[in-house]
Amino acid sequence: MDNFDLEILDRLQQNSRITTETLGIEIGLSATAVQRRIKKLKETGIIDKEIAVVNEAKLGSAVTVIIEVAMKRGGTDVIDAFQKKTQSFNCVQQCYYVAGENDFILIVKADSLQHYEEITRDLLLNDKNIHKFYSNIAMQNVKVGLEYPIRKDKRTIT
């Protein structure tokens, strides 16, 4: 990857519907060259998917919960099973396997506190491998970043 690829990635993260013509003009490449580069970025998996970002406030209220999970014991079987389990819950927006006092940090969206209670039963309380979990209810969404931070000063990535 070179600086052109980084510029393409940065701009696509801001607006994935930008035309290759406009993008080419902005970064100094032909539309065809931009198309080839985007195709390669997709084929290599650097661009994983294109999504629509939904405005939560316009859809109604949702509860955001940050959950810290501590497992009773370690081991790849326990860790892998919990990771797989979280992937089957679409309300789990993010799951991080972390070092520290806890084993996982989850970001969960629920329609209501009652819905969150149902999620805890299905995801956490019925899992014999979970030692304890702590729930943190988000009071306000101050910032949610979706863009990968592209360093403009990078010369070449191999």
Side-chain angles (χ1 to χ4, degrees):
M1 285 187 30
D2 61 16
N3 282 337
F4 286 121
D5 291 327
L6 294 174
E7 284 294 334
I8 289 169
L9 288 172
D10 190 41
R11 290 164 197 257
L12 286 175
Q13 287 184 107
Q14 302 300 318
N15 176 9
S16 67
R17 296 177 59 119
I18 189 171
T19 66
T20 55
E21 292 81 14
T22 302
L23 188 49
I25 291 167
E26 290 180 4
I27 67 171
L29 288 176
S30 70
T32 305
V34 170
Q35 287 172 338
R36 279 195 306 267
R37 286 172 177 267
I38 291 172
K39 182 180 179 187
K40 185 176 180 183
L41 290 167
K42 289 179 179 180
E43 288 173 348
T44 58
I46 292 171
I47 295 177
D48 192 29
K49 65 174 119 176
E50 297 175 49
I51 62 167
V53 178
V54 176
N55 184 328
E56 289 180 33
K58 295 193 178 200
L59 286 177
S61 63
V63 178
T64 303
V65 186
I66 300 112
I67 307 167
E68 302 168 61
V69 180
M71 307 306 278
K72 287 182 182 174
R73 60 182 182 87
T76 57
D77 58 330
V78 170
I79 299 304
D80 291 347
F82 187 72
Q83 289 175 352
K84 185 175 180 181
K85 186 177 181 182
T86 62
Q87 291 176 16
S88 69
F89 283 73
N90 68 348
C91 59
V92 177
Q93 290 193 324
Q94 299 172 49
C95 174
Y96 298 96
Y97 177 45
V98 297
E101 187 174 333
N102 296 298
D103 298 298
F104 290 95
I105 299 196
L106 310 176
I107 309 296
V108 172
K109 291 285 188 178
D111 296 334
S112 63
L113 287 176
Q114 180 180 351
H115 180 222
Y116 175 62
E117 195 268 336
E118 293 168 10
I119 294 166
T120 60
R121 286 178 180 273
D122 294 340
L123 179 64
L124 305 167
L125 293 172
N126 292 327
D127 190 328
K128 66 183 183 326
N129 291 314
I130 293 178
H131 173 60
K132 59 186 173 182
F133 67 93
Y134 302 97
S135 300
N136 300 284
I137 307 294
M139 302 288 286
Q140 181 182 19
N141 175 349
V142 178
K143 178 185 179 190
V144 174
L146 299 174
E147 294 111 24
Y148 183 85
I150 303 291
R151 285 186 39 201
K152 303 290 184 176
D153 61 340
K154 273 197 172 170
R155 302 292 183 258
T156 304
I157 298 175
T158 54

